[in-house]
Amino acid sequence: MSVDTTTESAPAPRRGTNILLGLTLLGLLLFLWLLLGLSTHAFWTPNNISNVLRQGAMTAILAVGQTFVIITAGIDLSVGAIVGFTSVIVAWLLQAGVPLWLSIVLTLLIGVAIGAFHGFGIVRMGLPPFIITLATLTSLRGIGLLITNGSTISISHDGFTDFSRADFLGVPSLFWMVILVAIPAFVFLHLSRWGRYLFAVGSNKEAARLSGVNVDRTIYLAYILSATCAAFVGLLLASRIGIGNATQAEGWELQAIASSVIGGTSLFGAVGSVHGPLLGAFILATINNGANLLNINSFWQRIITGLLIIVIVYFDQLRRRGSR
């Protein structure tokens, strides 16, 4: 049986749906921006728009990494802890006098190693993704606190900290980092055989294995990509706040999952895109920003996010039942 024929057919029926969902999410985002622009004079100010882009950028990158995992019918609960931990690592390396480029490379390699550890736990040890990534979440918080002795590490490298606060062509540099991640992620997920393998594994692992897909390697790859995206966000966060702090990014894993789900990624696997989670992340950032501008209790932000997830997962279940 041909591998390409089997795996290539997995995502094909979803392409039209993904495009329609993407346009719907884009329309919702534009509607929210228009509504907030009419409701408050502060929303359309250059400073606030830049703030929205910066707020959504890091969640968007996390959501893309999380999407790779969810497409395989997995989950990565550790990404928030990886962000906090890697912010500590890069701050510690810079404080020790390690060159900036080497500090960045070493920090990203730590993300690769964490993702490989997750893959090992799932593939070789037979642990559920929920358990192994939850264990990593807890452990990395503890290791980061041990390294810093419960404190923070200041970053005095001006070139590193100035980057996240700068603009290029009038657009925040953090948003350009989203584009830097999104383009290769789109090519990988939608135009490469490895992307087709992710969909095939999420659809039916045994069928993918019988078709010649290296399921174990595909799972390793998904979790490595997720953890590497989280390590990259750790670099961006350390650059933005100027410190390494193990307790930073608490709860960001839930924001990443929510953004991915709102963007149309199915928690049952085999359905997802790159553009959907990106739009989902900026929809959440817009809701949070608008709630702050309108002086709405921050608790309502969580309620709105929860309701969005319930509605989208419910319709995803209806779609799955209708396709049987």
Side-chain angles (χ1 to χ4, degrees):
M1 184 178 294
S2 172
V3 175
D4 290 339
T5 300
T6 303
T7 57
E8 199 168 340
S9 63
R14 311 294 182 191
R15 288 172 184 165
T17 303
N18 282 340
I19 293 173
L20 179 60
L21 177 61
L23 292 174
T24 302
L25 291 172
L26 180 60
L28 175 60
L29 181 61
L30 293 176
F31 172 75
L32 288 173
W33 280 40
L34 178 61
L35 181 64
L36 289 172
L38 295 174
S39 303
T40 172
H41 298 294
F43 182 80
W44 279 107
T45 59
N47 286 340
N48 188 67
I49 294 298
S50 295
N51 190 36
V52 172
L53 295 179
R54 289 189 175 97
Q55 285 176 346
M58 290 184 279
T59 304
I61 296 172
L62 284 182
V64 169
Q66 187 74 240
T67 298
F68 294 136
V69 170
I70 297 178
I71 285 174
T72 66
I75 199 77
D76 189 349
L77 298 177
S78 69
V79 293
I82 295 174
V83 172
F85 178 71
T86 51
S87 76
V88 167
I89 294 300
V90 70
W92 179 70
L93 290 171
L94 290 173
Q95 190 180 71
V98 178
L100 177 60
W101 70 269
L102 184 57
S103 299
I104 292 173
V105 170
L106 290 175
T107 302
L108 291 175
L109 287 176
I110 287 176
V112 172
I114 294 171
F117 172 72
H118 289 158
F120 179 83
I122 295 166
V123 171
R124 299 301 178 189
M125 299 176 66
L127 297 175
F130 179 90
I131 298 299
I132 186 67
T133 58
L134 179 62
T136 304
L137 181 158
T138 305
S139 300
L140 288 182
R141 294 291 187 194
I143 295 171
L145 290 170
L146 282 175
I147 293 175
T148 62
N149 197 26
S151 185
T152 61
I153 301 177
S154 297
I155 300 174
S156 57
H157 195 295
D158 292 338
F160 181 68
T161 54
D162 288 345
F163 170 78
S164 64
R165 301 160 191 169
D167 292 347
F168 178 68
L169 299 178
V171 178
S173 56
L174 289 181
F175 185 78
W176 286 110
M177 294 301 98
V178 176
I179 297 175
L180 180 67
V181 170
I183 293 175
F186 179 87
V187 172
F188 170 83
L189 186 61
H190 297 292
L191 302 178
S192 76
R193 64 190 178 102
W194 288 105
R196 296 194 294 271
Y197 292 169
L198 290 180
F199 285 103
V201 169
S203 178
N204 189 316
K205 288 183 182 179
E206 191 57 32
R209 196 186 308 275
L210 293 174
S211 299
V213 176
N214 190 323
V215 173
D216 293 349
R217 186 183 300 172
T218 303
I219 291 174
Y220 269 101
L221 181 59
Y223 284 89
I224 287 173
L225 289 173
S226 177
T228 303
C229 284
F232 184 49
V233 173
L235 291 170
L236 298 179
L237 179 63
S239 173
R240 187 178 187 190
I241 64 179
I243 60 172
N245 188 343
T247 62
Q248 288 291 328
E250 189 170 353
W252 283 22
E253 59 278 349
L254 302 180
Q255 289 289 316
I257 294 170
S259 298
S260 186
V261 171
I262 290 171
T265 308
S266 174
L267 290 172
F268 302 100
V271 178
S273 65
V274 171
H275 59 271
L278 295 180
L279 290 169
F282 285 104
I283 286 172
L284 289 183
T286 299
I287 291 173
N288 293 338
N289 180 265
N292 291 331
L293 292 177
L294 295 171
N295 294 319
I296 297 175
N297 192 311
S298 61
F299 299 149
W300 280 104
Q301 300 174 25
R302 301 189 179 191
I303 294 172
I304 293 171
T305 301
L307 291 175
L308 275 174
I309 294 173
I310 290 172
V311 170
I312 290 172
V313 172
Y314 173 72
F315 280 107
D316 182 46
Q317 286 183 320
L318 292 180
R319 178 192 56 76
R320 286 169 60 85
R321 291 170 189 165
S323 63
R324 290 176 184 173

